[in-house]
Amino acid sequence: MAQQEYERYYVPDQSPWPIVGAVALFLIAFGAGNFVVESTSDKDGFGGWTLLAGLATLLVMLVGWFRNQIHESMSGMYSAQLGRSYRQGMAWFIFSEVMFFAAFFGALFYARVISVPWLAGEGNNAMTNEVLWNGFEAAWPLLVQPMDALAGGEASTKMMPWTGLPLINTALLLVSSVTLHYAHVGLEQGKRSKLIGLLGLTIVLGSIFVVLQGMEYVHAYRDLDLTLDSGVYGNTFFLLTGFHGMHVTLGTIILIVLFLRCLKGHFTPDNHFAFQAGSWYWHFVDVVWVLLFFFVYIL
Amino acid sequence: MKKTMSGAVAFLTGILAFPAIAESTSQLDQYQLNLTKGVTDISAEVYDLHMLMFIICVVIAVAVFGVMFYSMVFHRKSKGAKPANFHESVKVEIAWTVVPFIILIFMAIPAAQTLIAMEDSSSPDVSVLVTGSQWKWHYKYMDSDVEFFSVLATQPEQIANKFEKGINYLLEVDRPLVIPTGKKVRFLVTSDDVIHSWWVPDFAVKKDANPGFINEAWTKVNEPGIYRGQCAELCGKDHGFMPVVVIAKEPAEYEAWIAEQQDIQRRAKEEEQKLLAMNMEMGELMEVGERVYLATCAACHMPNGEGLPGAFPALKGSDMALNDMQAHIDIVVNGKAGTSMQAFGKQLSLKELAAVITYERNAWGNNTGETVQAKDVNALVTGQ
Amino acid sequence: MSTVTDHAHHEDDHHHHAPSGIKRWLFTTNHKDIGTLYLWFAFIMFLTGGAMAMVIRAELFQPGLQIVDPHFFNQMTTVHGLIMVFGAVMPAFTGLANWLVPMMIGAPDMALPRMNNWSFWILPFAFTILLASLFMEGGGPAFGWTFYAPLSTTYSGDTTALFVFSVHIMGISSIMGAINVIVTIFNMRAPGMTWMKMPLFVWTWLITAFLLIAVMPVLAGVVTMVLTDKFFGTSFFDAAGGGDPVMFQHIFWFFGHPEVYIMILPAFGIISAIVPTFSRKKLFGYASMVYATTSIALLSFIVWAHHMFTTGMPVAAELFFMLATMLISVPTGVKVFNWVATMWRGSLTFEVPMLFALAFIVLFTIGGLSGLMLAIVPVDFQYHDTYFVVAHFHYVLVTGAIFSIMAAVYYWLPKWTGKMFDITLAKWHFWCSLISVNVLFFPMHFIGLAGMPRRIPDYALQFADFNKWISIGGFAFGLSQLLFLWLLIKACRKEGEPVSDQVWEGAEGLEWEIPSPAPYHTFETPPVIK
Ligand code: HEA
Ligand code: HEA
Ligand code: CUA
Ligand SMILES: [Cu+2]
């Protein structure tokens, strides 16, 4: 009776890929857990190899799963409702990423607004400063750490200016968001060359960003003595920009895959969830950068 | 359903009657079921607040469960109850949103008042710096030259169930903190390693000892006496074995005590200097060393020197203890940053340091035959 | 085979859809299979975590150290907490969501079936890593399930790295599970299943899923900082570099408090399904239940620091967090009152699910009220980190979350297997559990008030008598759960009387309109909602 009224919802058959993925995560977690210890002490073991095996398995899983997915999508098994499921799933996934970054931004704000001033004696912490960290003064960026202050030492760490590379990087990412948006418009209008050209450009911009970011790190380590272990300033700087950089890298890889699929003509103006998801992801990564640029570099 | 009913009734009377039970089963002096009233004005206020909250909660519980049990008894299908039809009422919903809200306000007001009083540590008469470290407390009087460590005094044999347990089992220390009665005593609480929490229930004072920060708390004790508490934040293996003991003395007695301590500590330092010129015998070093080792080091490195693999290294057969004497002295005196191996240089006297290091180099089959003398340790301390 | 009712007659047609052998479980995309996997996994973890609780209780049976050394005791406490929270309660609720949400809203399956399988299978691996670390050099995590820095950073063993990564993948699993639930509810409701017609279990899970997606990444963030602080020289939680150990607690509890509601909101949904059934009366105040659940969830984001009153926060912050915490009692109270009002002038019977639900209402309320006492800052200074807190959270978790899960299993099990479970055994299970659980947890209030700190392997003599009773209660409660194990094994072997589609007189909802046992694929086309 209802057959005509409702689209069928596609419930996939059994699939081996999820469990392969679970094994991959197991190897990654177990490998990484051992690798971290082995690489920071003089122990040796198989951690690194396990981690690599895990990453390889994950890659196999991703290729297999996505190939499956693409095949199903192209053979028209998906309904509009399923498309909505994917889109909503992606949106909530991005929300979870937002909260992940929120934890690190939270740490940044806490350090700036609370812990550093408290160590310098603010609030009800006069004794903290007097007895434990005599001579420490609050400043942000925190170049003289409390322990340096005790040692009476000067700071060797220098601050990372926002002009220069970071500013260029901001411009790159902002532009890339625009190019990607118009690539999407091109896709929706069925303009293939616009799509491919602009998408290609986005990938180039993203890759330049990653390279510049790498150069910035080299600069930080070599010239500024700004390292992962130079106190909360360095910590928040590297963790925020580092995780962001990882996301850009991942985003770029996604865009490259999308690019190849565009070349193969996988997407149609009204069926291109993968493209949309990739582009949402990219825009999200951009927004994070803007926040980061503002709070980590400028302020 | 009778069972549920009678069970519940027994349950509730149990709650209400617990002060009475407390009376009847009491075997030990401190045996109690309820929060202590304590010995300060604040702790009494806290107790009253606790009883107020408790009674409000019991009343709410009795009311809610009363209605529920009534319904369980009288609205049973087996009694022929037919279900009514109602299933919403905005008025009722509003009522049972607003009424609890008002109750909460009644709870919050006295709570806020007490809290503000508790957190006002300004203008103290005496200040004590309280530093936690794994697993002992260090007290330093800010206005005089007295400072010392306070360590669990219960014998290990009692803990291992070999000796009978004393009345203050796990709540006794070698050197209690002494404070004056009737004076505002401020505690500056901090830590050398992980987070501890300094807690004396009778004062209603519990403050976390955060490494790198100083928290303030205060008390004004009304009656002289011995008050016992414990570390209240998980701080590693022996978290259960770092009690707090405070003796409150009349101000005059307290002053006398401080003066005496100042004297003792000064003399100990002089003694120390004399030692530098002397050499101690192996036998004496080993004897003192063993005592110090068991009291101070065995918590981590274990009495048999084998440590806990992965957490605390073995000293038995350790390369450092067998070969590298300078490094050995250094790690004991200065500790190792970023590990729980603390700097014992300021905790132990030169003699004790020398003895314990000697002990470690000659016990459990570490037969180096070498002695370490106070002057060797001093050389490292003073950098010569 | 196009309508729901048809299924009743063509059940056999579907058998070929359920593949047999191990592959069925490894590769499955079926929400019922995955639900079953989750539930069994959760139960096994409950037994494992429970066995650790037995070690704790055995050590605490008498003063003095007799069975384990303090370091191992701390590992037991920590891993017990972690396993119960992340391995037992959360997966059990996810399992129930898998089984029930699609059936309740008229969906063919979960929205993202393959990801569903992935979410599940990560869990056994994650817990393998966690448990394996117990046997490695230095032992497993020994810093409490709250892993406060710097005990978990500078002062912890090397296996902390494994702990961190296993938490990471558990987090991935929960987030994917939550996304699946949320998308299913948003997108897969049958036509006519409007928001305000959804069963409360679906509503509470929707909100739970939102909480999960919001806070699990924060947990991932904070364990990452623990990792870098321990191994890569950062000083987020070290004052020497400008950080603060208390910052750890802020970030952790920003996750941790919503987490405890993650473990109770689905329970509220379950109770809201069971009480009306056995009262033969519609749930009182459906709409206010929805609003109350939402308020609890929103408030849960601004109360986290009530776990940190003794850390030396400014007074203003303490007052704020006290007031916000107290406020949560209001919507929670609304829920309790609504359940009681549902029973009022109903036509009550006391089948096993109802027994558990009633026990839940009473005992959860006791736990909630002690929570309210904990919220009062000046007295929390006395309660904090004592057994009073342990009593509080076991009342809300064991007689709250766990009892609700048991209630749910008894309620829906006949629908799942098509057979009635062994009622006599179930009643034994209930009464033994009810009595022993109170012997176990009620006296903890007393020793807590009298001053016994938590997380200690040995205690002063004045606590001895009660601890003995607590341990006896603990062993009895543990043994009672073996009855449940036996009952479940029997149920899975399909022993028992066949049941009707509705199973319980008075049960209402889509899941009671489909056949018992529920066919492998429920709604291939959406049912019509009246
Ligand atoms: C399912 C889990 C769960 C739930 C639902 C709750 C619910 C609540 N919890 Fe609990 N809590 C935990 C799990 C949970 N908690 C855990 C695991 C810990 C310890 C973590 C650790 O340190 O390891 C903890 C610790 C904890 C603390 C910290 C204690 C300390 O360490 O010092 C506090 C303090 O405020 C607190 C408060 C509350 C409050 C106010 C509620 C409220 O939501 C309760 C509301 C319910 C009611 C009040 C009862 C019903 C209401 C009525 C009948 C209405 C009428 C009543 C009035 C208006 C008064 N909890
Ligand atoms: C949902 C969560 C949950 C559940 C269900 C439980 C269940 C139990 N918990 Fe626990 N518990 C926590 C969550 C939970 N707990 C948390 C979060 C902590 C804090 C950890 C921390 O401080 O970091 C804690 C801490 C905690 C402590 C404090 C430890 C300490 O501070 O040192 C104690 C002490 O008694 C305890 C006991 C118990 C007992 C006896 C049970 C029982 O209900 C368990 C019953 C189940 C079984 C026993 C299993 C079934 C039976 C078998 C496997 C057969 C073997 C049986 C026998 C040999 C009798 N728990
Ligand atoms: Cu120190 Cu616990
Ligand atoms: Cu909380």
Side-chain angles (χ1 to χ4, degrees):
Chain A
M1 121 211 165
Q3 226 130 16
Q4 266 69 43
E5 258 173 80
Y6 307 111
E7 275 182 304
R8 251 183 79 90
Y9 194 87
Y10 176 67
V11 178
D13 266 342
Q14 293 216 323
S15 165
W17 299 119
I19 185 114
V20 174
V23 172
L25 287 185
F26 169 71
L27 294 173
I28 289 174
F30 196 71
N34 286 307
F35 179 65
V36 163
V37 175
E38 286 154 17
S39 61
T40 52
S41 65
D42 45 10
K43 294 186 183 161
D44 42 26
F46 299 99
W49 294 112
T50 317
L51 176 58
L52 277 181
L55 290 171
T57 317
L58 189 71
L59 200 68
V60 171
M61 174 280 241
L62 287 172
V63 170
W65 193 329
F66 279 118
R67 188 188 283 154
N68 217 337
Q69 196 87 26
I70 293 167
H71 172 77
E72 289 163 6
S73 164
M74 308 257 314
S75 42
M77 290 153 108
Y78 291 175
S79 59
Q81 192 187 10
L82 187 76
R84 280 198 300 280
S85 287
Y86 285 154
R87 264 163 252 262
Q88 291 178 5
M90 187 67 195
W92 286 107
F93 167 68
I94 289 178
F95 174 59
S96 79
E97 291 268 47
V98 170
M99 294 308 292
F100 181 73
F101 277 99
F104 292 95
F105 276 109
L108 171 67
F109 297 144
Y110 187 95
R112 288 187 61 163
V113 181
I114 298 181
S115 72
V116 169
W118 281 8
L119 287 165
E122 226 175 74
N124 54 357
N125 279 276
M127 296 307 277
T128 301
N129 185 256
E130 207 175 301
V131 178
L132 300 176
W133 308 110
N134 207 341
F136 172 70
E137 280 165 30
W140 195 268
L142 180 72
L143 303 177
V144 185
Q145 301 172 40
M147 58 180 168
D148 302 334
L150 277 197
E154 288 294 298
S156 59
T157 306
K158 288 179 211 60
M159 141 185 203
M160 175 65 78
W162 62 270
T163 46
L165 281 185
L167 189 63
I168 299 177
N169 263 347
T170 310
L172 283 177
L173 273 195
L174 286 178
V175 173
S176 79
S177 242
V178 176
T179 53
L180 185 62
H181 175 74
Y182 283 102
H184 190 189
V185 172
L187 171 59
E188 274 171 343
Q189 293 168 339
K191 293 187 183 154
R192 204 175 132 81
S193 55
K194 183 174 174 185
L195 163 66
I196 290 181
L198 286 173
L199 182 55
L201 184 58
T202 314
I203 293 169
V204 172
L205 291 171
S207 314
I208 299 179
F209 176 94
V210 175
V211 172
L212 289 185
Q213 187 75 30
M215 285 166 59
E216 188 188 82
Y217 280 9
V218 173
H219 174 56
Y221 264 81
R222 228 179 20 206
D223 311 323
L224 302 179
D225 197 28
L226 173 61
T227 62
L228 184 58
D229 50 12
S230 46
V232 270
Y233 174 53
N235 304 160
T236 49
F237 175 84
F238 279 103
L239 261 80
L240 277 163
T241 56
F243 275 113
H244 178 264
M246 275 161 62
H247 281 76
V248 179
T249 312
L250 185 66
T252 311
I253 295 173
I254 294 175
L255 292 183
I256 292 175
V257 172
L258 291 177
F259 186 74
L260 296 177
R261 290 188 63 192
C262 286
L263 287 182
K264 282 194 176 173
H266 277 183
F267 301 122
T268 63
D270 42 31
N271 183 9
H272 53 261
F273 160 71
F275 190 95
Q276 185 150 52
S279 102
W280 281 352
Y281 192 75
W282 192 258
H283 293 313
F284 149 72
V285 168
D286 272 6
V287 172
V288 172
W289 176 261
V290 173
L291 288 175
L292 223 150
F293 183 59
F294 200 69
F295 289 117
V296 176
Y297 290 93
I298 299 188
L299 281 187
Chain B
M1 251 335 78
K2 283 255 168 50
K3 273 189 204 158
T4 329
M5 264 307 277
S6 53
V9 169
F11 201 64
L12 286 172
T13 40
I15 303 175
L16 285 169
F18 79 63
I21 306 174
E23 219 76 45
S24 63
T25 47
S26 139
Q27 284 158 357
L28 289 149
D29 283 353
Q30 304 102 317
Y31 205 104
Q32 60 177 74
L33 290 159
N34 201 352
L35 201 61
T36 172
K37 274 206 179 81
V39 291
T40 69
D41 296 347
I42 288 282
S43 70
E45 258 182 63
V46 168
Y47 174 81
D48 292 340
L49 206 51
H50 157 72
M51 286 316 285
L52 175 70
M53 300 304 145
F54 173 67
I55 287 165
I56 294 179
C57 286
V58 171
V59 169
I60 293 175
V62 169
V64 175
F65 303 155
V67 177
M68 183 172 153
F69 286 118
Y70 181 90
S71 158
M72 280 161 64
V73 174
F74 294 104
H75 301 153
R76 271 191 271 175
K77 192 182 176 199
S78 56
K79 286 209 170 159
K82 291 277 174 297
N85 235 330
F86 62 88
H87 59 83
E88 60 190 350
S89 158
V90 177
K91 277 193 206 124
V92 173
E93 301 282 354
I94 289 177
W96 64 40
T97 309
V98 173
V99 172
F101 189 77
I102 294 170
I103 299 176
L104 291 181
I105 292 175
F106 274 105
M107 298 169 106
I109 291 169
Q113 282 165 345
T114 307
L115 178 66
I116 289 167
M118 287 173 102
E119 294 287 13
D120 176 15
S121 58
S122 57
S123 40
D125 300 315
V126 177
S127 286
V128 186
L129 180 65
V130 178
T131 311
S133 66
Q134 283 177 329
W135 293 282
K136 49 187 155 288
W137 294 100
H138 178 258
Y139 300 112
K140 178 170 191 241
Y141 292 78
M142 300 297 275
D143 337 277
S144 53
D145 255 352
V146 177
E147 59 177 299
F148 54 87
F149 281 89
S150 172
V151 189
L152 176 75
T154 302
Q155 299 152 292
E157 288 84 357
Q158 290 188 16
I159 299 176
N161 305 312
K162 292 198 187 101
F163 293 175
E164 203 177 327
K165 298 180 175 42
I167 188 93
N168 287 317
Y169 178 66
L170 295 188
L171 297 177
E172 50 203 344
V173 296
D174 57 350
R175 306 183 68 184
L177 174 67
V178 178
I179 58 170
T181 53
K183 295 255 163 89
K184 186 165 183 178
V185 182
R186 179 176 63 157
F187 304 107
L188 303 170
V189 186
T190 183
S191 161
D192 267 348
D193 39 45
V194 300
I195 302 177
H196 305 264
S197 192
W198 196 79
W199 179 31
V200 181
D202 283 314
F203 305 166
V205 169
K206 183 186 284 152
K207 254 312 176 232
D208 286 5
N210 298 323
F213 289 83
I214 287 184
N215 276 331
E216 300 190 8
W218 66 274
T219 191
K220 195 168 166 186
V221 183
N222 298 331
E223 296 156 40
I226 303 179
Y227 304 108
R228 297 170 198 277
Q230 279 175 273
C231 175
E233 179 63 59
L234 178 61
C235 51
K237 184 169 124 321
D238 283 353
H239 158 60
F241 305 92
M242 58 182 289
V244 174
V245 180
V246 182
I247 301 182
K249 291 188 189 219
E250 298 289 353
E253 278 179 64
Y254 166 78
E255 293 300 340
W257 181 85
I258 282 281
E260 186 190 319
Q261 293 301 309
Q262 250 164 333
D263 208 41
I264 294 175
Q265 301 207 343
R266 200 177 37 246
R267 253 183 293 142
K269 281 204 191 101
E270 289 165 11
E271 198 79 356
E272 191 103 289
Q273 290 308 311
K274 276 188 222 146
L275 255 176
L276 292 179
M278 299 197 297
N279 267 343
M280 284 166 70
E281 292 296 314
M282 176 64 112
E284 193 191 349
L285 282 169
M286 285 299 278
E287 200 185 298
V288 178
E290 178 167 18
R291 184 174 48 72
V292 175
Y293 182 84
L294 290 177
T296 317
C297 322
C300 298
H301 297 290
M302 296 289 124
N304 59 10
E306 287 172 9
L308 282 176
F312 307 113
L315 301 176
K316 178 178 173 181
S318 123
D319 184 52
M320 192 186 282
L322 290 176
N323 303 317
D324 195 342
M325 189 195 290
Q326 282 313 309
H328 192 169
I329 300 176
D330 181 63
I331 196 169
V332 178
V333 171
N334 297 320
K336 182 161 172 189
T339 73
S340 51
M341 181 62 201
Q342 23 187 305
F344 288 95
K346 57 178 177 138
Q347 292 185 29
L348 301 174
S349 68
L350 290 174
K351 175 179 160 189
E352 286 168 326
L353 287 165
V356 77
I357 297 170
T358 307
Y359 177 74
E360 286 177 351
R361 300 181 79 78
N362 293 286
W364 331 291
N366 283 1
N367 296 321
T368 58
E370 302 162 345
T371 60
V372 177
Q373 298 295 342
K375 60 172 177 288
D376 301 328
V377 179
N378 191 51
L380 188 125
V381 173
T382 52
Q384 286 153 5
Chain C
M1 232 200 356
S2 47
T3 62
V4 196
T5 38
D6 271 352
H7 284 292
H9 312 290
H10 295 278
E11 216 191 300
D12 286 353
D13 289 1
H14 290 279
H15 276 183
H16 67 271
H17 281 301
S20 51
I22 184 77
K23 273 192 182 170
R24 163 171 178 189
W25 304 104
L26 292 181
F27 297 165
T28 182
T29 50
N30 179 283
H31 70 105
K32 300 191 181 78
D33 282 354
I34 294 175
T36 307
L37 285 171
Y38 263 115
L39 285 167
W40 270 109
F41 173 76
F43 193 55
I44 292 166
M45 284 293 117
F46 174 67
L47 297 181
T48 314
M52 291 170 186
M54 296 299 103
V55 174
I56 295 174
R57 282 322 322 169
E59 178 57 54
L60 293 177
F61 188 73
Q62 283 177 353
L65 292 178
Q66 35 268 325
I67 303 175
V68 293
D69 72 82
H71 186 58
F72 189 71
F73 182 90
N74 288 345
Q75 296 172 42
M76 285 293 106
T77 300
T78 306
V79 182
H80 162 70
L82 288 168
I83 288 208
M84 287 302 198
V85 168
F86 295 104
V89 176
M90 289 169 64
F93 280 141
T94 315
L96 291 170
N98 256 293
W99 256 103
L100 298 170
V101 168
M103 297 202 309
M104 286 177 163
I105 62 173
D109 203 295
M110 296 293 277
L112 306 161
R114 274 182 293 226
M115 192 172 87
N116 202 10
N117 177 320
W118 196 19
S119 319
F120 170 74
W121 277 107
I122 290 171
L123 285 179
F125 290 117
F127 283 91
T128 307
I129 296 178
L130 187 67
L131 288 169
S133 72
L134 284 173
F135 302 97
M136 294 182 183
E137 202 187 76
F143 29 64
W145 83 282
T146 51
F147 58 105
Y148 281 8
L151 186 60
S152 62
T153 57
T154 313
Y155 299 90
S156 66
D158 282 346
T159 54
T160 307
L162 288 172
F163 160 79
V164 166
F165 287 107
S166 77
V167 170
H168 271 143
I169 63 176
M170 273 173 221
I172 294 177
S173 157
S174 311
I175 292 171
M176 292 198 300
I179 291 178
N180 225 330
V181 172
I182 224 168
V183 174
T184 306
I185 299 173
F186 264 93
N187 195 31
M188 307 284 285
R189 277 168 294 130
M193 178 56 79
T194 57
W195 289 109
M196 293 313 260
K197 273 190 192 158
M198 287 193 328
L200 263 170
F201 180 73
V202 180
W203 258 114
T204 51
W205 239 112
L206 176 70
I207 292 163
T208 304
F210 169 75
L211 288 180
L212 275 165
I213 302 175
V215 301
M216 290 309 286
V218 176
L219 174 67
V222 80
V223 287
T224 306
M225 291 183 230
V226 163
L227 185 81
T228 59
D229 260 23
K230 178 159 178 60
F231 294 101
F232 302 112
T234 61
S235 36
F236 287 107
F237 311 131
D238 182 357
D244 182 353
V246 175
M247 173 163 94
F248 170 88
Q249 298 179 29
H250 280 289
I251 309 179
F252 177 83
W253 286 115
F254 181 83
F255 146 81
H257 187 81
E259 167 69 22
V260 306
Y261 289 119
I262 288 167
M263 294 188 284
I264 206 67
L265 293 186
F268 291 164
I270 291 164
I271 304 305
S272 305
I274 293 176
V275 170
T277 297
F278 299 100
S279 306
R280 293 168 184 73
K281 188 160 154 280
K282 262 180 90 170
L283 180 68
F284 189 84
Y286 173 89
S288 67
M289 287 297 230
V290 173
Y291 303 138
T293 314
T294 317
S295 332
I296 294 173
L298 292 178
L299 282 171
S300 78
F301 285 107
I302 54 162
V303 301
W304 75 85
H306 64 214
H307 297 272
M308 307 165 49
F309 286 144
T310 60
T311 56
M313 287 185 293
V315 194
E318 289 177 330
L319 283 173
F320 171 80
F321 285 108
M322 170 173 92
L323 296 172
T325 304
M326 292 172 77
L327 265 188
I328 292 197
S329 314
V330 176
T332 316
V334 168
K335 311 217 80 156
V336 173
F337 300 143
N338 277 327
W339 291 322
V340 175
T342 306
M343 290 163 60
W344 190 252
R345 292 187 44 214
S347 169
L348 276 63
T349 51
F350 301 92
E351 283 85 347
V352 181
M354 183 65 163
L355 292 176
F356 273 99
L358 295 175
F360 171 97
I361 298 176
V362 174
L363 300 176
F364 168 78
T365 302
I366 292 177
L369 292 171
S370 63
L372 185 64
M373 295 172 76
L374 288 167
I376 312 294
V377 188
V379 268
D380 180 66
F381 288 158
Q382 293 283 48
Y383 304 147
H384 176 68
D385 260 328
T386 67
Y387 264 76
F388 192 78
V389 179
V390 179
H392 157 64
F393 67 73
H394 282 97
Y395 265 88
V396 284
L397 281 168
V398 179
T399 58
I402 297 283
F403 268 32
S404 82
I405 292 165
M406 288 171 176
V409 168
Y410 283 121
Y411 187 51
W412 281 292
L413 191 60
K415 171 58 66 186
W416 300 338
T417 62
K419 302 283 162 59
M420 184 50 81
F421 50 79
D422 183 335
I423 292 176
T424 323
L425 193 55
K427 289 212 161 141
W428 273 99
H429 173 223
F430 173 74
W431 289 108
C432 290
S433 297
L434 181 70
I435 293 163
S436 58
V437 87
N438 285 296
V439 177
L440 166 57
F441 295 123
F442 205 78
M444 285 187 183
H445 292 111
F446 301 142
I447 53 171
L449 291 176
M452 176 161 159
R454 57 192 283 210
R455 296 167 166 171
I456 57 174
D458 191 5
Y459 47 83
L461 296 181
Q462 67 263 40
F463 309 122
D465 285 3
F466 273 121
N467 267 296
K468 192 166 72 198
W469 282 106
I470 292 171
S471 289
I472 291 172
F475 302 141
F477 184 68
L479 290 176
S480 314
Q481 303 324 307
L482 298 180
L483 302 177
F484 191 41
L485 175 65
W486 185 19
L487 182 140
L488 288 176
I489 292 175
K490 281 178 33 161
C492 285
R493 293 171 61 196
K494 308 251 170 174
E495 291 172 22
E497 294 292 311
V499 291
S500 71
D501 289 0
Q502 199 194 10
V503 183
W504 312 105
E505 180 196 46
E508 276 176 37
L510 276 183
E511 79 269 30
W512 306 111
E513 287 165 24
I514 57 175
S516 305
Y520 198 60
H521 295 293
T522 324
F523 303 107
E524 298 208 325
T525 52
V528 180
I529 318 286
K530 285 146 272 173

